[in-house]
Amino acid sequence: STTSNFGSNLPINATVLSGFYFDTAASERLVIAVNDLSTSTKSLYFGSPATSYSQISGSTLNASAFYVYFAQLNDKLFYSDGLGTLKYISSSNLSNSTAAGKISRIDVINQGSNHGSIPTITVAAPPPSGVTATATAVVANDGNLVFVTITNPGSGYTTAPSVSISGGGGSHAVAFVSLTPPAKPIFLTTHTNRLFAVSADTSIQPDTLYFSDILDGESWDPPGSIRVGGDGDPITGIYSWFGYKLLVFKERSIWSVDADPTQDPADWVISIIS
């Protein structure tokens, strides 16, 4: 019975849809997607088979979901039910929404010269209800501004904001904005320190493979997708294989994507296996 195997505090009429072993420096636990048949509600719980499970606050799943996909990247456990948006569970067992419209990076175009002190970096504000990004400058011994460190990526940006640098003899930088994750993500997989996914949105070509930035499952830049085969044959699953190879299963074929993290994604080798 559910009570003897999965913890006495789970609803008596609960069934487990799927689960994942979530291991971080803070703790290790099982995260399970639970369907409470008594109330027709679905949510996530965390715990272990030897102890009682606790419900994860804010982890409500779509009532029509029949499976939940999980993938861990760093200390975040990303999850999606294929009907809603991409979310994640933190190492403190809290459910969070991914931040849309973050500043993914700020590149220094002109280092300027003779900075006698650290110049001030000001990032323009996003549309209303967004959070303004903040950053600090790093100056080398010769007085050149060598790079900009993002201290808060902000949220809600729809286009790249302007970046102003106070002083510094012509220093100039440009910001890049990350887009939201793919709609209705499914088949979440961690591979080469990126998060990979497919979209269940029927308006998107079904052979499209999405990938996040390296080490950041919340940042999905505009080039962050490729079509595997380009024939419209739907992707039915993905699997992190050996080396940099990601296996892509389609209805009528099997492919590998050599997702070498040292290469530009446009140069990744996509090969048919069968």
Side-chain angles (χ1 to χ4, degrees):
S1 67
T2 358
T3 52
S4 63
N5 287 310
F6 295 107
S8 59
N9 62 328
L10 280 186
I12 294 176
N13 293 320
T15 59
V16 177
L17 304 178
S18 57
F20 192 90
Y21 172 62
F22 185 26
D23 184 16
T24 68
S27 65
E28 52 184 300
R29 75 232 80 156
L30 293 175
V31 175
I32 54 176
V34 172
N35 180 17
D36 183 353
L37 300 177
S38 301
T39 60
S40 299
T41 58
K42 300 173 182 178
S43 57
L44 301 183
Y45 284 73
F46 75 94
S48 67
T51 63
S52 296
Y53 278 77
S54 300
Q55 190 172 24
I56 297 177
S57 178
S59 63
T60 303
L61 304 169
N62 191 291
S64 299
F66 63 90
Y67 190 79
V68 177
Y69 303 89
F70 294 99
Q72 181 176 348
L73 186 61
N74 295 333
D75 59 352
K76 295 178 181 178
L77 178 58
F78 291 88
Y79 71 95
S80 170
D81 58 17
L83 296 168
T85 58
L86 181 67
K87 298 180 181 180
Y88 69 90
I89 299 164
S90 67
S91 58
S92 55
N93 301 310
L94 298 176
S95 181
N96 300 269
S97 298
T98 54
K102 300 189 305 177
I103 303 300
S104 57
R105 72 180 196 268
I106 298 177
D107 293 349
V108 176
I109 305 302
N110 186 333
Q111 294 185 351
S113 60
N114 299 321
H115 287 281
S117 60
I118 304 298
T120 300
I121 307 295
T122 303
V123 182
S129 77
V131 176
T132 302
T134 59
T136 57
V138 177
V139 175
N141 292 333
D142 58 4
N144 291 354
L145 193 157
V146 288
F147 60 87
V148 174
T149 301
I150 298 173
T151 53
N152 184 342
S155 64
Y157 287 97
T158 55
T159 58
S162 61
V163 178
S164 62
I165 303 173
S166 64
S171 295
H172 179 63
V174 61
F176 294 83
V177 175
S178 63
L179 299 183
T180 56
K184 302 177 181 179
I186 55 177
F187 309 140
L188 297 179
T189 301
T190 303
H191 181 66
T192 59
N193 290 320
R194 296 180 190 265
L195 198 62
F196 283 78
V198 177
S199 175
D201 191 332
T202 55
S203 66
I204 295 172
Q205 289 289 351
D207 58 5
T208 303
L209 178 67
Y210 291 89
F211 49 89
S212 73
D213 282 354
I214 293 177
L215 299 175
D216 189 354
E218 293 190 79
S219 180
W220 304 69
D221 282 342
S225 69
I226 53 177
R227 292 187 63 186
V228 179
D231 52 6
D233 189 25
I235 295 174
T236 57
I238 55 179
Y239 184 82
S240 179
W241 204 20
F242 72 92
Y244 301 139
K245 290 178 169 42
L246 179 79
L247 286 180
V248 179
F249 298 91
K250 302 176 67 177
E251 285 189 357
R252 299 171 182 84
S253 56
I254 302 173
W255 299 70
S256 75
V257 177
D258 195 351
D260 187 341
T262 66
Q263 291 182 333
D264 188 285
D267 297 325
W268 287 350
V269 177
I270 304 174
S271 307
I272 189 168
I273 294 176
S274 172

